[in-house]
Every structure is written in C-alpha cells, then in structure tokens.
Amino acid sequence: MKIDNFVAIFAFLAFGFSLVTATDPPPLDDFCVAPSGTKFAVIENGKFCKDPKLVTAEDFFYSGLNIPRNTKNKLGSNFTVVTAKEIKGLNSLGISIGRDDYAPNGVAPPSYHPRASEIITVLEGTLYLGFITSNPDHRLFAKILHPGDIFVVPIGLIHFLWNIGKTHAVAILAYNSQNPGTITVPNTIFGSIPPIDLQVLSKSFQLEKKIVAYLQEQEWVD
C-alpha cells in the first residue's frame, strides 16, 4: 500500500472516530477558570480563561449543597444544579453536579439531558427511579432506591423520579458534562411558546382537543 493511501485512510478513520466519540472536549491545561469579564481574562487554546495568576481556591469552591430546598410547588420537588456558572473552576472540565429534594409523593417529571449521562446517589428517603430506552423498544428500567443506592441514566434517555416514602428525600446528581441541559417533556410539549397546534398534539397523543387545550393552559413548573 502506498504511503499516501495509508495516510488518507488513517485520516479518514481518525476523523470518523472523532465524530462518533464527540462529547465535552477534554481540557488542554490544568484548568480554565471561567472569567467574570474580559478585563482579567486570557486565551488558552482558543478559550477565554481567567488569568491563571489571579485564580484562587474560591474559583473551585461552592458551599450550600447541604441546605434543604423548598419543595412547596405543584411537583413537590426542587432541583439545584451547580455548573461552571456557580463554580468557575468547572469550566472545560466536562462535569457538573446537582441536588434533588422531594417532598413525600413529590416527582421529577419525565425529562432527559441532551448532553450528559447522569449518576443519582440517594442520601435520604426512598425514591422510585426509571428510564425508558429509545425507539422501537421503549423498555423501562426502574428501581426503588434507598440511602446509599446509586443508579445510572444513560445520555439522552427519558427518566423520572418519585418519592414513594413518607419522609423528605434527597439525592445528589452528577453529570459528565459541564452543561448537561434539561428538557422536561410535559413542559416542553404543552408549555411551548407559542403553543404547538392543537391538531398536532391531539393526533400525536390520541387526545381530544379540549384535553390538549386544558393541558396547554396549565402553569408548568420547571
């Protein structure tokens, strides 16, 4: 095989592999702390970063994830996410963390994270958690979780949580993206602005238009 042909094939395979394995890019420096402005920023490998000489331990610190959140809402739950916005030192590291609080019978409605897989660790209470696979199988994988239990939700799959216990429940969530994103299915479908046409939702969900109209009139909680 000629050298130029070998190089061409290698380049093609390398390019294809990079497309298949695309995720948050790995850091090329020890850190790239997100700057609060451009005055004290430098460019590292094409990214704006806080001048390393001005970085302190506070840039990698966050306090308060132990504080219970208010769950007095329609869902009986409250989600706190900590990303590079809250911890500047998370920038470019491809990770983030969060806390879920649930009142008894509280739920996290069906949702998914378009850019991250998720690890859920239960600290308090009893949670029923499940995720559903994509077309065409729609298999449900679900477990009842107790303190110390861990469950993994693969990237992009719809999942839910429900506090089936009689006490407050708390879980810590970890993501393999610094900005996992969250798409809550009911909110997105019935709470879009402007609303999706009634005929589309009526036919898609096999519901009467008056039911769809009722759902679109609700105040959807994030």
Side-chain angles (χ1 to χ4, degrees), residues 82-183:
V82 180
T83 66
K85 181 179 180 181
E86 290 75 26
I87 304 179
K88 302 299 185 182
L90 281 178
N91 187 48
S92 81
L93 298 186
I95 56 174
S96 54
I97 195 168
R99 171 186 171 125
D100 257 353
D101 285 79
Y102 297 90
N105 202 40
V107 301
S111 61
Y112 64 94
H113 306 290
R115 294 180 289 275
S117 297
E118 178 180 6
I119 297 178
I120 298 103
T121 304
V122 178
L123 300 183
E124 301 176 20
T126 306
L127 290 172
Y128 176 64
L129 186 157
F131 68 82
I132 304 96
T133 61
S134 57
N135 296 346
D137 297 328
H138 306 138
R139 293 181 62 194
L140 171 64
F141 292 84
K143 288 280 291 184
I144 294 176
L145 305 179
H146 304 280
D149 290 344
I150 295 173
F151 201 79
V152 175
V153 177
I155 183 172
L157 296 186
I158 292 176
H159 57 284
F160 60 87
L161 292 98
W162 174 30
N163 182 1
I164 61 174
K166 297 181 179 180
T167 61
H168 191 82
V170 180
I172 294 296
L173 318 174
Y175 304 95
N176 64 336
S177 171
Q178 74 174 56
N179 185 23
T182 299
I183 297 177

Side-chain angles (χ1 to χ4, degrees), residues 39 59 181-182 185:
K39 184 178 180 181
D59 291 313
T182 299
V185 177

Side-chain angles (χ1 to χ4, degrees), residues 48-91:
F48 268 110
C49 308
K50 186 176 181 179
D51 188 335
K53 297 177 182 177
L54 302 177
V55 171
T56 68
E58 294 299 314
D59 291 313
F60 304 94
F61 175 77
Y62 176 88
S63 180
L65 213 58
N66 62 312
I67 300 173
R69 268 51 176 182
N70 184 5
T71 56
K72 293 182 179 179
N73 55 56
K74 290 184 177 181
L75 299 177
S77 63
N78 194 320
F79 173 57
T80 302
V81 63
V82 180
T83 66
K85 181 179 180 181
E86 290 75 26
I87 304 179
K88 302 299 185 182
L90 281 178
N91 187 48

